[in-house]
């Protein structure tokens, strides 16, 4: 696990929207540093998963906030 300070800073004081979620997901992909020696999944797959999982969790938070 990593702490995504860039995403935290980007989301401070910003309403969670489709646009901000998409931007955060792209940041997650860009800051992920998957091992190139991993045997179970490619670097590309792991970067994509960082993007997808970030997007999912932020969408869940946004949904819960709206009630």
């Amino acid at each position: 696990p990593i702490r995504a300070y860039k995403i935290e800073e980007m989301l401070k004081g910003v309403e969670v929207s489709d646009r901000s979620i998409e931007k955060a997901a792209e940041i997650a992909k860009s800051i992920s540093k998957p091992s190139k020696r991993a045997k179970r999944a490619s670097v590309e797959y792991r970067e994509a998963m960082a993007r997808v999982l970030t997007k999912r969790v932020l969408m869940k938070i946004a949904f819960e906030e709206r009630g």
Side-chain angles (χ1 to χ4, degrees), residues 4-49:
Y5 292 104
K6 288 182 182 180
I7 295 172
E8 289 179 27
E9 287 300 316
M10 190 269 303
L11 290 175
K12 279 185 185 174
V14 174
E15 183 177 332
V16 178
S17 64
D18 290 343
R19 185 175 182 190
S20 63
I21 289 172
E22 196 61 44
K23 187 172 181 180
E26 284 302 317
I27 292 171
K29 179 183 173 189
S30 72
I31 65 174
S32 68
K33 303 287 185 221
S35 172
K36 293 179 181 177
R37 299 186 310 175
K39 294 180 181 182
R40 295 181 186 226
S42 69
V43 169
E44 294 81 12
Y45 176 80
R46 290 171 184 244
E47 288 173 341
M49 286 294 94

